[in-house]
C-alpha cells in the first residue's frame, strides 16, 4: 500500500501521463458499459445513411453508408481493441518472460538455443507472419489474440533476458548465492522484482502495438467477422473515402488517442518505476 | 593440526573470444582458524577469482578446496547449504551488493530464513543484534539501502555476512570503494569483530597498506600465480620477490621525507595478457633482474626461511632474508 | 572481412532452416489437409493443381519425409507454380520484389534522415519549446496506425488538394522514359514512403535524442571541450557518430517490421510489391504463394541484417570483424 | 624564489552550485587559492569535497545546467577567465591550459584514432598542415614513452591498455605546450605500478616543458610523493594549505590530522596493536549549508564557536594557512 501511494505520487508529477491515464479510463469505461450506452449494438441501422458528424444531435458522430451510428461502432469497437490488446500482451508476457528468464538465468547452451529460436521469430516479418497465421487458422477473437501474442513475445523475451543476464551478475544476487538461496528463491525474490519495472513499461507499449495490429488486421478484412472493430470501420469507410472521409477519420482518431495514451502512460510508468536513485 | 581452509593446486580458466584466460593457475594456500590472510595483487592477478572459488561462486577448473579436511569444491544440495553457513563473503561495492528493493531488515533476515534459523520474533531480535554489532541503529531495519551512505551500506554488508556466524569470511576489496576516513571505520570494525568472535578472514585488496594493517600473513599474486607468502612484518621489512619489492616501492607513502629517501624501482611496461602469459616466470618481462633461466623454467613456490615462500629463481633457500635489504636487488642466482 | 561475412552467412543457416520449419508446421497445424490449405478452398483447386502440390510437397508421405521434401524444395528455390497468376512462384516474387525494396529503401531513408534530424534538434534545444514540440510530434507519429495515416494523406493530398497521385507505382499508360519516368516514380513514392516511415521516424527521433543526451554526458565529450573545440565541432565530430550507434542497431532490428508494414501500405496505395501480392494471395487462398513470400522476406531480413552489422562495425571500431 | 611574481592562476572566492531536485548544492563554496609558476600543487580531499568541480570551474566546463559558477574570480595570468568570451575561453582550453581526467577508459573517444584525437588538439590551436600535425602526434607519443608510436598513432583507444591510454591523454594535453596542466585524479583508475609510471611521466614533462601542474587527488600518499604544495579541501571549502613537508610534518586542521591518522600505513600499525584513527560520521549535506565550520559535527576538538561561526583563514607563516578556531587558538 505504501509503495502504491509512493508510486502514484511519482506518476502524478507527469501531467501528461495523468491525462493519458484518464483517456484510458474513458476507453475502458466505454468497453465495459457499451451494452448500456448502445444496447442495440453497433450493427443496427438506426438512421439515414451518410449523416455527417454534428448533423443530428442524437447521432453525434454521424452515420455510415448503411445508416449505422458511428458512435455506437466506436464504443463497441473499444471492446475488441482493449480485449485483444490486453490478452495478446498477456500471452506475449508469459511466453516472453519464461523464455527470457530461462535464457538469462541459466545462460550457456540453454541461452544459445532459446535465443536462436527467438531470433528466428524476430526475423520473420511480424505483420506478415500475423496475417498468414490469422488467414490460415481463420479469423476469430481467439486466433487473432494468440497470433498477436505469438508475434509480440520476442521483444519481451530479449528484454527479460538482458535484464536477467545483468542482474544475475549483480553483487546482491551473488550475495543470495553465498547465503545459500535456491535458484527459485533467487529468481523470485532477488532478480524478478528488479527486472519487472522495465518489462511492465515495455508491456504497455506492446498493448499499444497489439491494438494497432488488430485494427490493421480488421482493416485488411482479416478481423473477427462477428465483431465490430475500429479497424473494420476504417476498412468499410475506405470504400467511400472520397465522399465520406469522416467514416475513416473518426475510428482512426479513436485508435490514435488510445495508442497515444498507452504510450504516454508507458513513459509515465517508466519515470515512476525507475526513479534515478541518487548515489554517492 | 588441520588448517581451517586448505586450497591445493587450484586453477580457473575462462574461455573467451580471445582465447583461454588463465585467471588462477595452480595456486595452493591455507588459512588457519582465526587467522587473517591478506591477498594482494594488481588488477588481473586473479585474486578475486580465487576468492570467488573459495566461497563457491565459481567452479574451479581443477584443484581442491578443503574445509577442515573435507572436500568442498563440488558440493551439491544440503551439503552445499551447510557450507554456506561456514564461509561468507563481503563485497567491494556497497552500492550494488544490496538489493535496492528490499529493506535492510529483510536483507539481514534472508540468510536466517533460508537456513530456517529461529522463528519470526527471534529473527527480528537477531537482525537488531546484527545492526547493533556493526554500529547501526535498530531503526535501520525499516529503511532501504539507498537511504544510507557508502560506509553505512558496507556495514550492512558485513552484518549480512555475520548473520550465519561463519568461521571464515572472504572480504573482496571491502574498503576499496570508500573514502579514507570511512575506510578506517570499516577496518576497525572488522578487526574488533575478529577480536570478539575469532573469525578468520581472507582479505583481498590491491592496497598493500590496508593489507599490511589487517593481515597476519600476506600472499602476493601476479598474473594468476602466487609469487610470495610471508608474515606481515617480515614482508614489509624484507620483500624477497622482485615483484613484491617493486609493488612496495610503487605504493605512495603519506610521508614526504620517507618517500624521497627511498629508492624508486619503477616497473617498466604493462601487465602481459593473461591469455598468453610469458614462458617460465610470468614476471620476467617486467623484472629488472631477469636472467635467461627465468624464461626457460617456471620457478616453484619454495620455502626460503621458516614460513616464507617465494617463487623466484634468484632467491634461494641458502640466502637468508638478512642478505637482502628492502627494495635492494636480490642476490645473484646460485 | 570476407571470412566474417562467410561465417555470418553460415550462422544464418540454422535460422533459415528454422523459418522454413516454422512455415511447414504452420501449414500442418492449420485445420484440414495441407493440400487443401495450399490449394485454397475456392475454385482454383483443380485436379492438376492438387496433383502438382502433392508431388512437389510429397503430401502422401509421412510427416518427416514431407518436411525433408519441403525444405529441399525451398532451398532449391523450387517454390511451385501459382495457377492464379499462371506463373512460377519464384518468377512472380522476383517480378514484384523491386517495387517493395524501393518502397522500403525510400522509407528507411526518410525515417533515418528525418528521425535523426528531429532527434538532434530536440537534443540541441533540450527542455525548450522546440524540444517539446518535437517530442509531441514524435509521440503522435509513434502512435498513428500506418494504414489510417495513409488514407488520411490520400484524402488531403489527392482528393482535396489534388497534389499527389493516390496510388500506384507510376502513371499508367503515360509511358515516360528517362528522367521523366524517374520523377514520376518519385512522385508516386512520396506518400507511401512517408506513411511507412512515420512510425520509424518517431522511434529514431526519440532514440537519437536520448542517445545524444547520453553521449553528451560521457567523459570524452568533456575531453573534447577541454581541448578547446567549438560546440559545433564537438557535436558533429565527437557526439553524433557515437550517438548514431544505437539508431543503426534499431534500424537493423526494424527491417522485418517495416516489411510487414509494407503489406498495409501497398494495399492502401495499390503498390505493386510483394506485400500486395501476399495480401491478394491470402484472399485468393493461394497459401503456397503466401508462405513462399514469407520465407523469402525472412531471408531478405537476414541478409539486410548482415549488411547493417557491417555498417555498424564500420561505425564502431570496437567491433572487430575477423 | 621571490614573492613578487604574480601567481599563474589565482582562484578567488569561487562558488559553484548545482541545482538538484532536493535543492541547490553548494559544491564549491568560497574557495580561494593560487598556483605559482612552476608549482606542483595538489588539491586533496575526499569524494564530494568539490575538488573536481573546482577543476571544471577553472576551465569553465561545469555542465550547465545543472551546474553554474555563481561567484568569484579565476585569474589566469591576471585575466579573469570568468569574464572571457566563449571564443577566447576556447583558445585557453587545450592551448594555455589543459586537463586530463580520471578514467582513461572513458575519456578518449572510442570511434576516433589516437592520432585523430591528438592532431585535432594541435590543429585547433595552431594552423599547421594535417601532415605536420600527424608528425607531431608521433613525437608526442614518443615523448610520453608509448612504444611503437608510428603504429599506435593509427590505433583506436580500445587497443591500448589503461596506462597507455592515460599516456595518450597526457600527450594530447601537452600537445600545445600549455602553461598549466590540470590533472584530475589521473592515476586513480590505474594499478599502483602503473600509477608510479604515470606520476613519473608527469614529473618529467613538467620539468622538460616548464609546465605548472595542478594535481587533484584523494590520495595523501600521491600528494606526499609528488607535490610541493598542497591545499586540503573539505565540503566545498579549503581547510588547510601549506608546503608538503610542513603540512605532513605538522598538520594543523583536525580534519587533516584525522585523514593522516586514518591511513593504515602511517607508522607501523597493525590491527593487533592499534586502532586506526577514524573520523566519525559522514560528510555533511551541501544543500544550503549553514554558516559555520563544516567539519564541526565530526570534529573531536570542536568548541562552542565552531558550531556558530565560520572560521576565517588564519596564516601562521608565509604560504601556510588553516581555517580552524581551535588551531588558531593553539597557535596564537
Amino acid at each position: 500500500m505504501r509503495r502504491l501511494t509512493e508510486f502514484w505520487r511519482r506518476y502524478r508529477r507527469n501531467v501528461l501521463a495523468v491525462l493519458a491515464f484518464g483517456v484510458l479510463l474513458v476507453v475502458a469505461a466505454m468497453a465495459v458499459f457499451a451494452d448500456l450506452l448502445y444496447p442495440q449494438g453497433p450493427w443496427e441501422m438506426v438512421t439515414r445513411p451518410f449523416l455527417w458528424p454534428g448533423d443530428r444531435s442524437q447521432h453525434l458522430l454521424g452515420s455510415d453508408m448503411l445508416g449505422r451510428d458511428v458512435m455506437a461502432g466506436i464504443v463497441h469497437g473499444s471492446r475488441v481493441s482493449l480485449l485483444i490488446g490486453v490478452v495478446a500482451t498477456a500471452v506475449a508476457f508469459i511466453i516472453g518472460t519464461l523464455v527470457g528468464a530461462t535464457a538469462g538465468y541459466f545462460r550457456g547452451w540453454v541461452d544459445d538455443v532459446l535465443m536462436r529460436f527467438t531470433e528466428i521469430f524476430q526475423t520473420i516479418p511480424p505483420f506478415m507472419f500475423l496475417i498468414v497465421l490469422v488467414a490460415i487458422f481463420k479469423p476469430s477473437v481467439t486466433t487473432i489474440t494468440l497470433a498477436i501474442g505469438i508475434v509480440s513475445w520476442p521483444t519481451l523475451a530479449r528484454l527479460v533476458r538482458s535484464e536477467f543476464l545483468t542482474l544475475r551478475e549483480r553483487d546482491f544476487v551473488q550475495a543470495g548465492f553465498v547465503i545459500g538461496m535456491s535458484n527459485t528463491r533467487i529468481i523470485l525474490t532477488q532478480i524478478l522484482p528488479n527486472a519487472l519495472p522495465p518489462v511492465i513499461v515495455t508491456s504497455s507499449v506492446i498493448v499499444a502495438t497489439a491494438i494497432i495490429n488488430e485494427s490493421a488486421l480488421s482493416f485488411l478484412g482479416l478481423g473477427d467477422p462477428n465483431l465490430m472493430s475500429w479497424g473494420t470501420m476504417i476498412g468499410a469507410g475506405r470504400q467511400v473515402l472520397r465522399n465520406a472521409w469522416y467514416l475513416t477519420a473518426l475510428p482512426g482518431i479513436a485508435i490514435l488517442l488510445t495508442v497515444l495514451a498507452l504510450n504516454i502512460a508507458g513513459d509515465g510508468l517508466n519515470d515512476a518505476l525507475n526513479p534515478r536513485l541518487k548515489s554517492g | 593440526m588441520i588448517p581451517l581452509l586448505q586450497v591445493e593446486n587450484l586453477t580457473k580458466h575462462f574461455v573467451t573470444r580471445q582465447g583461454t584466460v588463465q585467471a588462477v593457475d595452480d595456486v595452493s594456500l591455507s588459512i588457519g582458524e582465526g587467522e587473517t590472510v591478506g591477498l594482494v595483487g594488481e588488477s588481473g592477478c586473479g585474486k578475486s577469482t580465487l576468492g570467488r572459488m573459495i566461497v563457491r561462486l565459481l567452479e574451479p577448473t581443477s584443484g581442491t578446496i578443503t574445509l577442515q579436511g573435507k572436500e568442498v569444491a563440488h558440493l551439491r544440495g544440503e551439503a552445499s547449504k551447510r557450507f554456506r553457513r561456514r564461509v561468507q563473503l563481503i563485497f567491494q561495492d556497497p552500492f550494488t551488493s544490496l538489493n535496492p528493493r528490499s529493506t535492510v531488515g529483510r536483507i539481514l533476515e534472508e540468510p536466517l530464513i533460508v537456513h530456517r534459523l529461529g522463528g519470526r520474533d527471534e529473527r527480528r531480535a537477531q537482525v537488531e543484534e546484527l545492526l547493533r554489532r556493526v554500529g547501526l541503529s535498530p531503526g535501520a531495519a525499516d529503511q532501504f539501502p539507498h537511504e544510507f551512505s557508502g560506509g553505512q551500506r558496507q556495514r550492512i554488508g558485513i552484518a549480512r555476512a555475520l548473520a550465519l556466524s561463519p568461521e571464515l569470511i572472504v572480504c573482496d576489496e571491502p574498503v576499496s570503494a570508500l573514502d579514507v576516513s570511512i575506510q578506517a571505520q570499516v577496518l576497525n570494525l572488522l578487526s574488533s569483530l575478529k577480536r570478539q568472535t575469532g573469525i578468520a578472514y581472507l582479505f583481498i585488496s590491491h592496497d598493500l597498506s590496508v593489507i599490511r594493517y589487517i593481515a597476519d600473513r600476506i600472499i602476493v599474486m601476479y598474473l594468476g600465480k602466487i609469487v610470495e607468502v610471508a608474515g606481515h612484518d617480515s614482508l614489509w621489512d624484507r620483500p624477497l620477490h622482485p615483484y613484491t619489492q617493486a609493488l612496495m616501492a610503487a605504493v605512495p607513502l603519506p610521508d614526504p621525507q620517507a618517500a624521497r629517501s627511498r629508492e624508486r624501482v619503477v616497473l617498466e611496461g604493462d601487465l602481459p595478457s593473461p591469455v598468453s602469459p610469458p614462458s617460465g616466470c610470468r614476471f620476467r618481462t617486467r623484472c629488472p633482474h631477469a636472467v635467461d633461466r627465468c624464461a626457460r623454467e617456471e620457478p616453484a613456490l619454495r620455502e626460503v626461511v621458516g614460513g616464507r615462500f617465494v617463487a623466484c629463481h634468484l632467491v634461494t633457500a641458502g640466502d637468508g632474508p638478512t642478505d637482502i635489504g628492502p627494495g635492494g636487488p636480490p642476490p645473484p642466482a646460485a | 572481412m570476407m571470412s566474417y561475412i562467410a561465417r555470418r552467412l553460415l550462422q544464418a543457416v540454422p535460422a533459415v532452416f528454422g523459418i522454413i520449419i516454422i512455415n511447414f508446421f504452420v501449414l500442418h497445424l492449420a485445420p484440414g489437409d495441407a493440400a487443401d490449405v495450399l490449394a485454397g478452398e475456392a475454385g482454383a483447386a483443380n485436379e492438376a493443381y492438387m496433383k502438382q502440390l502433392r508431388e512437389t510437397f510429397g503430401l502422401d508421405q509421412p510427416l518427416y519425409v514431407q518436411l525433408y521434401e519441403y525444405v529441399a524444395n525451398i532451398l532449391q528455390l523450387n517454390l511451385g507454380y501459382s495457377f492464379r497468376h499462371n506463373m512460377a512462384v519464384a518468377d512472380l516474387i522476383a517480378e514484384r520484389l523491386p517495387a517493395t525494396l524501393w518502397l522500403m529503401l525510400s522509407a528507411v531513408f526518410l525515417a533515418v534522415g528525418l528521425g535523426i534530424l528531429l532527434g538532434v534538434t530536440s537534443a540541441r534545444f533540450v527542455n525548450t519549446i522546440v524540444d517539446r514540440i518535437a517530442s509531441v510530434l514524435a509521440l503522435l507519429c509513434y502512435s498513428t496506425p500506418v494504414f489510417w495515416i495513409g488514407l488520411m494523406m490520400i484524402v488531403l493530398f489527392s482528393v482535396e488538394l489534388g497534389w499527389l497521385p493516390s496510388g500506384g507505382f507510376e502513371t499508367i499508360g503515360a509511358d515516360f522514359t528517362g528522367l521523366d519516368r524517374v520523377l514520376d516514380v518519385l512522385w508516386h513514392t512520396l506518400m507511401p514512403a512517408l506513411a511507412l516511415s512515420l512510425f520509424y521516424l518517431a522511434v529514431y527521433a526519440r532514440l537519437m535524442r536520448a542517445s545524444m543526451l547520453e553521449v553528451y554526458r560521457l567523459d570524452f565529450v568533456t575531453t573534447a571541450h577541454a581541448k578547446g573545440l567549438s560546440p559545433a565541432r564537438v557535436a558533429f565530430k565527437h557526439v553524433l557518430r557515437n550517438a548514431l550507434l544505437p539508431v543503426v542497431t534499431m534500424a537493423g532490428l526494424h527491417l522485418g517490421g517495416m516489411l510487414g508494414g509494407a503489406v498495409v501500405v501497398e494495399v492502401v496505395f495499390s503498390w505493386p510489391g510483394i506485400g500486395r501480392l501476399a495480401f491478394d494471395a491470402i484472399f485468393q487462398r493461394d497459401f503456397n504463394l503466401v508462405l513462399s513470400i514469407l520465407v523469402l522476406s525472412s531471408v531478405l531480413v537476414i541478409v539486410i541484417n548482415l549488411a547493417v552489422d557491417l555498417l555498424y562495425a564500420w561505425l564502431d571500431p570496437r567491433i572487430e570483424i575477423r | 624564489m621571490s614573492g613578487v611574481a604574480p601567481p599563474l592562476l589565482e582562484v578567488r572566492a569561487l562558488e559553484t552550485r548545482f541545482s538538484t531536485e532536493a535543492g541547490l548544492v553548494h559544491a564549491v563554496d568560497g574557495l580561494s587559492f593560487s598556483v605559482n609558476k612552476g608549482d606542483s600543487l595538489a588539491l586533496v580531499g575526499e569524494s564530494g569535497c568539490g575538488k573536481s568541480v573546482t577543476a571544471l570551474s577553472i576551465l569553465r566546463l561545469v555542465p550547465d545546467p545543472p551546474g553554474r559558477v555563481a561567484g568569484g574570480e579565476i585569474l589566469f595570468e591576471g585575466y579573469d577567465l570568468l569574464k572571457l568570451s566563449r571564443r577566447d575561453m576556447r583558445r585557453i582550453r587545450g592551448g594555455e591550459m589543459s586537463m586530463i581526467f580520471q578514467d582513461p577508459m572513458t575519456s578518449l573517444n572510442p570511434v576516433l584514432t589516437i592520432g585523430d584525437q591528438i592532431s585535432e588538439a594541435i590543429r585547433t590551436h595552431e594552423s599547421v598542415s594535417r601532415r605536420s600535425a600527424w608528425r607531431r602526434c608521433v613525437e608526442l607519443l614518443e615523448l610520453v614513452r608509448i612504444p611503437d608510436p608510428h603504429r599506435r598513432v593509427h590505433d583506436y583507444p580500445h587497443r591500448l591498455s589503461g596506462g597507455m591510454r592515460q599516456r595518450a591523454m597526457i600527450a594530447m594535453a601537452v600537445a600545445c605546450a600549455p602553461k598549466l596542466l590540470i590533472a584530475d585524479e589521473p592515476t586513480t583508475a590505474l594499478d599502483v605500478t602503473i600509477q608510479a609510471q604515470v606520476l613519473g611521466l608527469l614529473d618529467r614533462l613538467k620539468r622538460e616543458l616548464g609546465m605548472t601542474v595542478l594535481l587533484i587527488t584523494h590520495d595523501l600518499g600521491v600528494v606526499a610523493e609528488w607535490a610541493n604544495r598542497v591545499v586540503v579541501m573539505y565540503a566545498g571549502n579549503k581547510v588547510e594549505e601549506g608546503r608538503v613537508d610542513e603540512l605532513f610534518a605538522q598538520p594543523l586542521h583536525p580534519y587533516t590530522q584525522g585523514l593522516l591518522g586514518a591511513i593504515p600505513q602511517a607508522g607501523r600499525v597493525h590491527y593487533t596493536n592499534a586502532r586506526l584513527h577514524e573520523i566519525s560520521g559522514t560528510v555533511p549535506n551541501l544543500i544550503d549549508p549553514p554558516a559555520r565550520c563544516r567539519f564541526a559535527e565530526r570534529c573531536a576538538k570542536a568548541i562552542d564557536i565552531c558550531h556558530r561561526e565560520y572560521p576565517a583563514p588564519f596564516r601562521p607563516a608565509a604560504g601556510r594557512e588553516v581555517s580552524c578556531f581551535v588551531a588558531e587558538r593553539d597557535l596564537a
Side-chain angles (χ1 to χ4, degrees), chain B residues 34 36 42-43 149 152 155 179-189 191-192 194-195 206-210 212-216 232-233 236-237 243 246-247 249-257 259-260 262 264 266-271 286, chain D residues 45-48 161-164 167 191-197 199 218-225 227-228 244-245 248-249 255 258-283 298:
Chain B
T36 302
E42 295 177 285
S43 54
S149 69
Q152 290 168 322
R155 288 170 190 266
D179 274 322
V180 190
S181 63
I182 308 297
Q183 171 180 310
Q185 295 173 4
V186 171
L187 289 175
N188 282 339
L189 173 65
S191 31
S192 67
K194 183 192 184 75
R195 265 193 296 277
H206 69 281
D207 187 337
L208 204 52
S209 51
V210 167
R212 176 166 175 272
Y213 173 76
I214 199 81
D216 298 316
H232 77 276
D233 269 334
W236 200 253
D237 291 340
Y243 175 64
L247 194 60
V251 175
L253 296 176
D255 178 351
Q257 249 98 42
R260 244 157 260 168
R262 74 172 157 167
R264 302 229 63 169
V266 175
L267 279 187
E268 292 294 322
D270 264 329
L271 202 70
R286 301 173 73 194
Chain D
E46 296 181 291
S47 48
S161 70
M164 286 301 146
R167 283 170 191 263
D191 276 323
V192 266
T193 56
I194 309 297
Q195 164 171 292
Q197 294 173 358
L199 288 176
H218 70 283
D219 188 334
L220 285 166
V222 169
V223 176
E225 295 257 347
N228 71 341
V244 163
D245 296 316
F248 279 82
Y255 175 65
L259 269 188
L260 281 169
I263 302 176
Q265 204 166 324
R268 298 183 56 88
V269 292
H270 191 246
Y271 79 98
T272 47
N273 60 33
R275 270 173 77 79
L276 294 173
H277 185 289
E278 17 181 288
I279 303 175
S280 64
T282 49
V283 182
R298 301 176 73 188

Side-chain angles (χ1 to χ4, degrees), chain C residues 1 23 34 60 72 115 143 175 193 199-200 230 243 275 278 298 301 321-322:
Chain C
M1 173 87 167
N23 265 301
D60 310 324
S143 308
D175 289 327
F199 173 83
Y200 302 98
S230 66
S298 310
V301 170
I321 295 187
R322 263 177 305 178

Side-chain angles (χ1 to χ4, degrees), chain C residues 8-28:
Chain C
R8 281 292 310 268
L9 285 175
L10 212 65
Q11 277 172 0
V13 169
V16 174
F17 272 105
I19 290 161
I20 298 175
I21 291 168
I22 289 175
N23 265 301
F24 177 79
F25 279 109
V26 166
L27 203 59
H28 279 268

Side-chain angles (χ1 to χ4, degrees), chain C residues 274-295:
Chain C
I274 54 167
R276 172 93 212 197
L277 183 66
F279 175 76
D280 290 341
I282 278 177
F283 282 91
Q284 294 155 354
R285 309 206 71 80
D286 191 347
F287 281 105
N288 181 38
L289 178 55
V290 174
L291 288 174
S292 302
I293 292 174
L294 193 59
V295 169

